[in-house]
Amino acid sequence: YTYTPGEWVLVKNKQTTKFGVDANQDLWEIMSVNDNCTLSIKTGTITDKVNIQNVHQYNSSKDWSLQLWVSMQ
């Protein structure tokens, strides 16, 4: 899959315990795609760089809550 800026992704959480945490963090927007298989992502005022193996693509066509979440930012 080829990621492009402006898309939304879910970032995987580290599994610390069997039942301790959710599988994914909140939605993050892709700001840029780097040559070394990393993404620059942003949510609110927080920016971060993550490896593409640690994200899931997000299909917003099935979820109306993305538009609501973006409008609240």
Side-chain angles (χ1 to χ4, degrees):
Y1 183 77
T2 305
Y3 292 100
T4 57
E7 290 183 334
W8 294 86
V9 293
L10 294 167
V11 178
K12 295 180 190 177
N13 274 332
K14 294 180 182 175
Q15 185 174 359
T16 56
T17 61
K18 186 173 182 179
F19 301 107
V21 295
D22 292 334
N24 299 310
Q25 295 178 6
D26 289 335
L27 291 172
W28 293 72
E29 183 179 5
I30 298 175
M31 303 308 292
S32 66
V33 180
N34 303 317
D35 291 336
N36 61 350
C37 297
T38 60
L39 302 173
S40 297
I41 55 177
K42 179 181 179 181
T43 184
T45 58
I46 301 170
T47 58
D48 198 5
K49 288 190 180 184
V50 295
N51 192 297
I52 60 171
Q53 295 177 345
N54 295 327
V55 297
H56 292 288
Q57 67 187 52
Y58 181 74
N59 187 359
S60 63
S61 64
K62 296 180 182 178
D63 189 5
W64 58 271
S65 63
L66 174 65
Q67 288 82 19
L68 178 63
W69 187 82
V70 169
S71 66
M72 293 172 43
Q73 293 292 320

